[in-house]
Amino acid sequence: MSLRHAVLGMLAEGPASGYDLLQIFKDSLANVWPATQSQIYTELTKLAETGLIEVSDEGPRGRKEYTLTAAGLAEVRRWLTETEPKPVARNDMLLRVFCLGVLEHDQAHDYLSDIEDRMTKAGARLTELETSIEWDDDPFSIYGHIALEWGKRFYAMNQDWAQWALTQMPPPKR
Amino acid sequence: MSLRHAVLGMLAEGPASGYDLLQIFKDSLANVWPATQSQIYTELTKLAETGLIEVSDEGPRGRKEYTLTAAGLAEVRRWLTETEPKPVARNDMLLRVFCLGVLEHDQAHDYLSDIEDRMTKAGARLTELETSIEWDDDPFSIYGHIALEWGKRFYAMNQDWAQWALTQMPPPKR
DNA sequence: ACATTCATGTAAGTAGTTACATGATTCT
DNA sequence: AGAATCATGTAACTACTTACATGAATGT
C-alpha cells in the first residue's frame, strides 16, 4: 500500500491539493509510482480521516489544500527507515522474452530490435527532460535528479542488453 | 491482465498442471511476473472455460494436466506480435529516493548504502543461479538465459547507481 | 506411523483501473 | 461566448494478496 506513502511523501515537500498532486504524479512520478486521479482523491480523503494529513486551506472551485500533520511526518519517516522497499517486479517486456520461442525467428528478432529502439528513445526523452528542468540545490531537487539518473541508466542498460540479446538469439530454423 | 498470457506462454512450452506452473512461477518467473497459487488455479479454470487451454490428462491426487489449444497458441502469438509490452513501473525503492529529503543526512546515506549492498547481493545470487543451471540450446533455455542476463545487468546497474548516488547527496546539515 | 510433497480449490479483502458525473474559474 | 484548465468526487470492475480448507500419494 505505497500509494499512501507516495502521497504522504509528496506532501512532506509542502502543502498541496489533490490537483497539485495529480500533476506531480503525472510529471515526476509517472515512471516510479503511477496513480490515477480517482486513486489520489480517494487516498487523500482516507488520510485526512486517519489524521495523517489535514485540510489547511480552501480555495476557489472547492480546492482543498492538504498539509502533513506531525503524525503524518512521523509515518513517512517510519516508512523510510523501518520498512524495506519491495523489489521491483512485473516486467511485461521480460515475460515476453521467455515466450519468444513460440514465434518465428524473424518475429522474435523484430521484438528485440523494437525493444532496443524503444529504450533508446525513452533514454533520449529523459535526457531531454533533464535539460529542460532547472535543477536547484534543495534536497528534493537533488534526490529528484538522482532518481532521474536511475532512469537514464536503466534505459541505457536495457538498450545495451537488447542489442546483446540479438546476438544471442537461436539461429533461424531451416 | 498479463497473468493470463504468462500462463498461456508457459503452457506453450508443453503441457503442465497448476502445480507444475506454480514451480515455474516460483523459480524462473519470480522476478518477472510473480503469481500466487490461488491466482494460477483461478486463471487455469477461466482459461479452460474460454477454450484457450484444455485438460489433456488427469493424474493421481486430482492432478489435471493442461495443454494449449490451437486457439490458445494463436492468442500467445497475437499477444507477442500485436500488443505492446507495458513499460515497467512501480519502483518502491525509487519512490523512497524522492522522499529522502525528510530524513537526516545519515539516515538517507544509510538508505542508499543499504540499496547498494542489497543490489550487490541480488546480483551475486543470480550469478550463482546461472552456474547452477545446465543451459541447453533449445529456445526456452536460450531466451531464459537472455532474461537472466537482464537481471544481472539490472542489479549491476543499480549497484553502480547507488554508489554514485552516495557521492551526489546533499552535504550534512550543520 | 509420520512428515513431506503433491495437488486443488474458495472466500474475503486490498489495490488499482476505467468510466461517469459535475461544475467553477480563467483566458482569449 | 466558448474553450481550456482547475477541481473534486463516486461507481463498477479487474487484478492481486492472504488466509482458509482439504486431502491423496510418497518417502523414511
Side-chain angles (χ1 to χ4, degrees), chain B residues 1 3 33-39 46 60-61:
Chain B
M1 212 220 318
L3 171 70
W33 208 272
T36 58
Q37 175 259 343
S38 124
Q39 229 184 329
K46 276 193 255 164
R61 282 163 290 195

Side-chain angles (χ1 to χ4, degrees), chain B residues 74-92:
Chain B
E75 173 55 20
V76 178
R77 294 222 172 99
R78 190 199 62 81
W79 168 62
L80 284 170
T81 56
E82 289 171 37
T83 67
E84 299 200 348
K86 274 180 226 124
V88 180
R90 300 240 153 80
N91 189 328
D92 194 1

Side-chain angles (χ1 to χ4, degrees), chain B residues 45-59:
Chain B
T45 307
K46 276 193 255 164
L47 283 168
E49 273 166 17
T50 58
L52 295 175
I53 64 175
E54 60 189 12
V55 177
S56 51
D57 193 20
E58 306 207 17

Side-chain angles (χ1 to χ4, degrees), chain A residues 18-19 37-38 41 61-64 90:
Chain A
Y19 193 81
Q37 173 260 342
S38 124
Y41 283 106
R61 281 163 292 194
R63 176 191 168 97
K64 283 186 276 184
R90 299 238 155 80

